[in-house]
Coordinates of all heavy atoms in Angstrom, one line a residue:
M622 N 25.9 -37.7 53.5 CA 25.4 -37.0 52.3 C 24.5 -38.0 51.5 O 24.7 -39.2 51.5 CB 26.6 -36.6 51.4 CG 26.3 -35.7 50.4 SD 27.8 -35.3 49.4 CE 27.4 -36.0 47.8
A623 N 23.4 -37.5 51.1 CA 22.4 -38.4 50.3 C 23.0 -38.8 49.0 O 23.6 -38.0 48.3 CB 21.2 -37.6 50.1
V624 N 22.8 -40.0 48.6 CA 23.3 -40.6 47.4 C 22.1 -41.1 46.6 O 21.3 -41.8 47.2 CB 24.3 -41.6 47.7 CG1 24.8 -42.4 46.4 CG2 25.5 -41.2 48.4
P625 N 22.0 -40.8 45.3 CA 20.9 -41.3 44.6 C 20.8 -42.8 44.6 O 21.8 -43.6 44.3 CB 21.1 -40.8 43.1 CG 22.1 -39.7 43.3 CD 22.9 -40.0 44.5
K626 N 19.6 -43.4 44.8 CA 19.5 -44.9 44.9 C 19.7 -45.5 43.6 O 20.4 -46.6 43.5 CB 18.1 -45.3 45.5 CG 18.0 -46.7 45.9 CD 16.7 -46.9 46.6 CE 16.7 -48.4 47.2 NZ 15.4 -48.6 47.9
R627 N 19.2 -44.9 42.6 CA 19.3 -45.4 41.2 C 19.7 -44.4 40.2 O 19.4 -43.2 40.4 CB 18.0 -46.1 40.7 CG 17.9 -47.5 40.7 CD 16.6 -48.0 40.2 NE 15.6 -48.2 41.3 CZ 15.5 -49.3 42.0 NH1 16.2 -50.3 41.7 NH2 14.6 -49.4 43.0
R628 N 20.5 -44.8 39.2 CA 20.9 -43.9 38.2 C 19.7 -43.6 37.3 O 19.0 -44.5 36.9 CB 22.0 -44.5 37.3 CG 23.2 -43.5 37.1 CD 24.3 -44.2 36.3 NE 24.3 -43.7 35.0 CZ 25.2 -43.9 34.1 NH1 26.2 -44.6 34.4 NH2 25.3 -43.4 33.0
R629 N 19.5 -42.3 36.9 CA 18.4 -42.0 35.9 C 18.8 -42.6 34.6 O 20.0 -42.4 34.1 CB 18.0 -40.5 35.8 CG 17.6 -40.0 37.2 CD 16.1 -40.4 37.5 NE 15.8 -40.0 38.8 CZ 16.0 -40.8 39.9 NH1 16.4 -42.0 39.7 NH2 15.6 -40.4 41.1
S630 N 17.8 -43.2 33.8 CA 18.1 -43.7 32.5 C 18.4 -42.5 31.6 O 18.1 -41.3 31.9 CB 16.9 -44.4 31.9 OG 15.8 -43.5 31.7
R631 N 19.0 -42.8 30.5 CA 19.4 -41.6 29.5 C 18.2 -40.9 29.0 O 18.3 -39.7 28.9 CB 20.2 -42.3 28.4 CG 21.3 -41.4 27.8 CD 22.2 -42.1 26.9 NE 23.1 -43.0 27.7 CZ 24.0 -43.9 27.1 NH1 24.0 -43.9 25.8 NH2 24.7 -44.7 27.8
S632 N 17.2 -41.6 28.7 CA 15.9 -40.9 28.2 C 15.3 -40.1 29.3 O 14.9 -38.9 29.0 CB 15.0 -41.9 27.6 OG 14.3 -42.6 28.7
K633 N 15.3 -40.5 30.6 CA 14.7 -39.7 31.7 C 15.6 -38.4 31.9 O 15.0 -37.3 32.0 CB 14.8 -40.6 33.0 CG 13.5 -41.2 33.2 CD 12.5 -40.3 34.0 CE 11.2 -41.1 34.2 NZ 10.1 -40.3 34.5
Q634 N 17.0 -38.6 31.8 CA 17.8 -37.4 31.9 C 17.7 -36.4 30.8 O 17.5 -35.2 31.1 CB 19.3 -37.9 32.0 CG 20.3 -36.9 32.2 CD 21.7 -37.4 32.1 OE1 22.0 -38.6 32.2 NE2 22.6 -36.5 31.9
K635 N 17.5 -37.0 29.6 CA 17.3 -36.1 28.4 C 16.1 -35.4 28.5 O 15.9 -34.2 28.1 CB 17.4 -37.0 27.1 CG 18.8 -37.2 26.7 CD 18.9 -37.9 25.3 CE 20.2 -37.9 24.8 NZ 20.2 -38.5 23.4
S636 N 14.9 -36.1 28.9 CA 13.7 -35.3 28.9 C 13.6 -34.3 30.0 O 13.0 -33.3 29.8 CB 12.5 -36.3 29.1 OG 12.5 -36.9 30.4
R637 N 14.3 -34.5 31.1 CA 14.4 -33.5 32.1 C 15.2 -32.3 31.6 O 14.7 -31.1 31.8 CB 15.0 -34.1 33.4 CG 15.4 -33.0 34.4 CD 15.7 -33.7 35.8 NE 16.5 -34.8 35.7 CZ 17.9 -34.9 35.5 NH1 18.5 -33.8 35.3 NH2 18.5 -36.1 35.5
V638 N 16.3 -32.6 31.0 CA 17.1 -31.5 30.5 C 16.4 -30.7 29.3 O 16.4 -29.4 29.3 CB 18.4 -32.0 29.9 CG1 19.2 -30.9 29.1 CG2 19.3 -32.5 31.1
A639 N 15.5 -31.4 28.5 CA 14.9 -30.8 27.4 C 13.7 -29.9 28.0 O 13.4 -28.8 27.3 CB 14.3 -31.8 26.5
A640 N 13.2 -30.2 29.1 CA 12.1 -29.3 29.7 C 12.6 -28.0 30.0 O 11.8 -27.0 30.0 CB 11.5 -30.0 30.9
N641 N 13.9 -27.9 30.3 CA 14.4 -26.6 30.7 C 15.0 -25.8 29.6 O 15.6 -24.7 29.7 CB 15.5 -26.8 31.8 CG 14.9 -27.4 33.0 OD1 13.8 -27.0 33.4 ND2 15.6 -28.3 33.6
R642 N 15.1 -26.5 28.4 CA 15.8 -25.9 27.2 C 14.8 -24.7 26.7 O 13.6 -24.8 26.7 CB 15.9 -26.9 26.2 CG 16.8 -26.5 25.0 CD 17.2 -27.7 24.2 NE 18.0 -28.7 24.9 CZ 18.0 -30.0 24.6 NH1 17.3 -30.5 23.6 NH2 18.8 -30.8 25.3
W643 N 15.5 -23.7 26.2 CA 14.8 -22.5 25.6 C 14.3 -23.0 24.3 O 14.9 -23.7 23.5 CB 15.8 -21.4 25.4 CG 15.1 -20.2 24.9 CD1 14.5 -19.1 25.6 CD2 15.0 -19.8 23.6 NE1 13.9 -18.2 24.8 CE2 14.2 -18.6 23.5 CE3 15.4 -20.3 22.3 CZ2 13.9 -17.9 22.4 CZ3 15.0 -19.7 21.1 CH2 14.3 -18.5 21.1
H644 N 13.0 -22.6 24.0 CA 12.4 -22.7 22.6 C 11.8 -21.4 22.2 O 11.3 -20.7 23.0 CB 11.5 -24.0 22.6 CG 10.3 -23.8 23.6 ND1 10.5 -24.2 24.9 CD2 9.2 -23.2 23.4 CE1 9.3 -23.9 25.5 NE2 8.5 -23.3 24.6
A645 N 11.8 -21.3 20.9 CA 11.3 -20.0 20.3 C 9.7 -19.9 20.6 O 9.1 -20.9 20.6 CB 11.5 -20.1 18.8
P646 N 9.3 -18.7 20.8 CA 7.9 -18.6 21.1 C 7.0 -18.9 19.9 O 7.4 -18.8 18.7 CB 7.7 -17.0 21.4 CG 8.9 -16.4 20.8 CD 10.0 -17.4 20.9
L647 N 5.8 -19.5 20.2 CA 4.9 -19.9 19.2 C 4.2 -18.7 18.6 O 3.6 -18.0 19.4 CB 3.9 -21.0 19.6 CG 4.5 -22.4 19.9 CD1 3.5 -23.1 20.7 CD2 4.8 -23.1 18.6
F648 N 4.2 -18.5 17.3 CA 3.5 -17.4 16.7 C 2.2 -17.9 16.1 O 2.1 -18.9 15.5 CB 4.3 -16.9 15.5 CG 5.5 -16.0 16.0 CD1 6.6 -16.6 16.6 CD2 5.4 -14.6 15.8 CE1 7.6 -15.8 17.0 CE2 6.5 -13.9 16.3 CZ 7.6 -14.5 16.8
Q649 N 1.1 -17.1 16.6 CA -0.2 -17.4 16.1 C -0.8 -16.3 15.4 O -0.4 -15.1 15.7 CB -1.2 -17.7 17.4 CG -0.8 -18.9 18.2 CD -1.2 -20.2 17.5 OE1 -2.0 -20.2 16.6 NE2 -0.5 -21.3 17.9
P650 N -1.6 -16.4 14.3 CA -2.2 -15.3 13.6 C -3.0 -14.5 14.5 O -3.9 -15.0 15.2 CB -2.9 -16.0 12.4 CG -3.2 -17.3 12.8 CD -2.0 -17.7 13.7
C651 N -2.9 -13.1 14.4 CA -3.8 -12.2 15.2 C -5.2 -12.4 14.8 O -5.5 -12.5 13.6 CB -3.3 -10.8 14.9 SG -4.3 -9.5 15.6
G652 N -6.1 -12.3 15.7 CA -7.5 -12.5 15.4 C -8.1 -11.3 14.7 O -9.2 -11.4 14.2
N653 N -7.5 -10.2 14.8 CA -8.0 -8.9 14.2 C -7.4 -8.6 12.9 O -8.2 -8.4 11.9 CB -7.7 -7.7 15.1 CG -8.4 -6.5 14.7 OD1 -9.6 -6.5 14.5 ND2 -7.7 -5.4 14.6
C654 N -6.1 -8.7 12.7 CA -5.5 -8.4 11.4 C -4.8 -9.6 10.7 O -4.4 -9.6 9.6 CB -4.4 -7.2 11.6 SG -3.0 -7.7 12.6
G655 N -4.5 -10.7 11.5 CA -3.9 -11.9 10.8 C -2.4 -12.0 10.8 O -1.9 -12.9 10.3
A656 N -1.8 -10.9 11.5 CA -0.3 -10.9 11.6 C 0.2 -12.0 12.5 O -0.5 -12.1 13.6 CB 0.1 -9.6 11.9
P657 N 1.3 -12.6 12.3 CA 1.7 -13.6 13.3 C 2.3 -12.8 14.6 O 3.0 -11.9 14.5 CB 2.9 -14.2 12.6 CG 3.3 -13.4 11.5 CD 2.1 -12.5 11.0
V658 N 1.7 -13.3 15.7 CA 2.0 -12.7 17.0 C 2.3 -13.8 18.0 O 1.6 -14.8 18.1 CB 0.8 -11.8 17.5 CG1 0.9 -11.2 18.9 CG2 0.3 -10.8 16.5
P659 N 3.3 -13.6 18.8 CA 3.6 -14.6 19.8 C 2.6 -14.5 21.0 O 1.9 -13.4 21.1 CB 4.9 -14.2 20.4 CG 5.2 -12.8 20.0 CD 4.4 -12.5 18.8
G660 N 2.3 -15.6 21.7 CA 1.3 -15.7 22.7 C 1.5 -14.7 23.9 O 2.5 -14.3 24.1
H661 N 0.4 -14.3 24.5 CA 0.4 -13.4 25.6 C 0.9 -12.0 25.4 O 1.4 -11.4 26.3 CB 1.0 -14.1 26.9 CG 0.6 -15.5 27.0 ND1 -0.6 -15.8 27.6 CD2 1.3 -16.7 26.9 CE1 -0.7 -17.1 27.7 NE2 0.5 -17.7 27.3
I662 N 1.0 -11.6 24.1 CA 1.4 -10.3 23.7 C 0.4 -9.6 22.9 O -0.2 -10.2 22.0 CB 2.8 -10.5 23.0 CG1 3.9 -10.8 24.1 CG2 3.1 -9.3 22.2 CD1 5.2 -11.1 23.5
A663 N 0.2 -8.3 23.1 CA -0.7 -7.6 22.2 C -0.1 -7.5 20.8 O 1.1 -7.4 20.7 CB -1.0 -6.2 22.8
C664 N -1.0 -7.5 19.8 CA -0.5 -7.5 18.4 C 0.3 -6.2 18.1 O -0.3 -5.1 18.3 CB -1.7 -7.7 17.5 SG -1.3 -7.5 15.8
P665 N 1.5 -6.2 17.7 CA 2.3 -4.9 17.5 C 1.7 -4.2 16.2 O 2.0 -3.0 16.1 CB 3.7 -5.4 17.3 CG 3.6 -6.8 16.9 CD 2.3 -7.4 17.4
S666 N 1.0 -4.9 15.3 CA 0.5 -4.1 14.1 C -0.8 -3.5 14.2 O -1.0 -2.5 13.5 CB 0.6 -5.1 12.9 OG -0.1 -6.2 13.1
C667 N -1.7 -4.1 15.1 CA -3.0 -3.4 15.3 C -3.3 -3.1 16.7 O -4.2 -2.3 17.0 CB -4.0 -4.3 14.7 SG -4.3 -5.9 15.5
G668 N -2.5 -3.5 17.7 CA -2.7 -3.1 19.1 C -3.8 -3.8 19.7 O -4.3 -3.3 20.8
V669 N -4.2 -5.0 19.2 CA -5.4 -5.6 19.8 C -4.9 -6.9 20.7 O -4.1 -7.6 20.1 CB -6.4 -6.1 18.7 CG1 -7.4 -7.0 19.3 CG2 -7.1 -4.9 18.3
Y670 N -5.4 -7.0 21.9 CA -5.1 -8.2 22.6 C -6.5 -8.8 23.1 O -7.2 -8.2 23.8 CB -4.2 -7.8 23.8 CG -3.8 -9.0 24.6 CD1 -2.9 -10.0 24.1 CD2 -4.3 -9.2 25.9 CE1 -2.5 -11.1 24.9 CE2 -3.9 -10.3 26.7 CZ -3.1 -11.3 26.1 OH -2.7 -12.4 26.8
R671 N -6.7 -10.0 22.8 CA -7.9 -10.7 23.2 C -9.1 -10.1 22.8 O -10.0 -9.9 23.6 CB -7.9 -11.2 24.6 CG -6.7 -12.2 24.9 CD -6.8 -12.7 26.3 NE -8.0 -13.6 26.6 CZ -8.2 -14.2 27.7 NH1 -7.5 -13.9 28.7 NH2 -9.2 -14.9 27.8
G672 N -9.2 -9.5 21.6 CA -10.3 -8.9 21.1 C -10.6 -7.5 21.6 O -11.7 -6.9 21.4
R673 N -9.5 -6.9 22.3 CA -9.8 -5.5 22.9 C -8.5 -4.7 22.5 O -7.4 -5.2 22.6 CB -9.8 -5.7 24.4 CG -10.5 -4.5 25.1 CD -10.8 -4.9 26.5 NE -9.6 -5.3 27.3 CZ -8.8 -4.4 28.0 NH1 -9.1 -3.1 28.0 NH2 -7.8 -4.8 28.6
K674 N -8.8 -3.5 22.1 CA -7.8 -2.6 21.7 C -7.1 -2.0 22.9 O -7.7 -1.4 23.8 CB -8.3 -1.4 20.8 CG -7.2 -0.7 20.0 CD -7.9 0.1 18.8 CE -6.8 0.6 17.9 NZ -6.1 -0.4 17.1
V675 N -5.8 -2.3 23.1 CA -5.1 -2.0 24.3 C -4.1 -0.8 24.0 O -3.7 -0.2 24.9 CB -4.3 -3.1 24.9 CG1 -5.3 -4.1 25.5 CG2 -3.4 -3.8 23.9
F676 N -3.8 -0.5 22.8 CA -3.0 0.7 22.5 C -3.2 1.1 21.0 O -3.5 0.3 20.2 CB -1.5 0.5 22.9 CG -0.7 -0.5 22.0 CD1 -0.2 -0.3 20.8 CD2 -0.6 -1.8 22.5 CE1 0.5 -1.2 20.0 CE2 0.1 -2.8 21.8 CZ 0.6 -2.5 20.6
N677 N -2.9 2.4 20.7 CA -3.0 2.9 19.4 C -1.7 2.8 18.7 O -0.7 3.1 19.3 CB -3.5 4.4 19.4 CG -5.0 4.5 19.9 OD1 -5.8 3.8 19.4 ND2 -5.2 5.4 20.7
V678 N -1.7 2.2 17.4 CA -0.6 2.1 16.7 C -0.3 3.4 16.0 O -1.1 3.9 15.3 CB -0.7 0.9 15.7 CG1 0.6 0.7 14.9 CG2 -1.0 -0.4 16.5
E679 N 0.9 3.9 16.2 CA 1.4 5.1 15.5 C 1.8 4.8 14.1 O 2.5 3.9 13.9 CB 2.5 5.8 16.3 CG 2.1 6.3 17.7 CD 3.3 6.5 18.7 OE1 4.3 7.0 18.2 OE2 3.0 6.0 19.8
L680 N 1.4 5.7 13.2 CA 1.8 5.5 11.8 C 2.8 6.6 11.4 O 2.8 7.7 11.9 CB 0.5 5.5 10.9 CG -0.3 4.3 11.1 CD1 -1.7 4.6 10.4 CD2 0.2 3.0 10.6
Ligands
ZN945 ZN1 -3.3 -7.6 14.9

C-alpha cells in the first residue's frame, strides 16, 4: 500500500480543503436593469442574458 512520503503542512491541507468548500454565488448588477444577478444566469427581473432577451418576464 502506498504511503505518503511527507505529511502536508497545515496551510497546504487547509487551502486544499478550502478549494472544495461551498461559497455563495457572486451577485453582479444586471447590465440592463441593474438588479443584482448571480453569474451565468439570465436576469430574473428583465430576462436579459449577455445583452440578449432570452425570455419574457410575466407581470
Ligand atoms: Zn436585468
Side-chain angles (χ1 to χ4, degrees):
M622 198 180 111
V624 174
K626 193 167 188 179
R627 255 182 267 273
R628 224 180 112 165
R629 296 287 169 266
S630 69
R631 209 165 294 175
S632 70
K633 268 277 180 195
Q634 185 187 340
K635 276 189 169 182
S636 70
R637 170 168 38 80
V638 169
N641 300 321
R642 192 170 293 156
W643 183 86
H644 59 272
L647 286 169
F648 283 72
Q649 296 287 338
C651 169
N653 192 50
C654 67
V658 178
H661 312 290
I662 281 174
C664 176
S666 57
C667 67
V669 166
Y670 183 68
R671 294 187 70 180
R673 200 165 59 89
K674 200 161 185 71
V675 289
F676 64 85
N677 290 315
V678 178
E679 291 157 41
L680 293 168

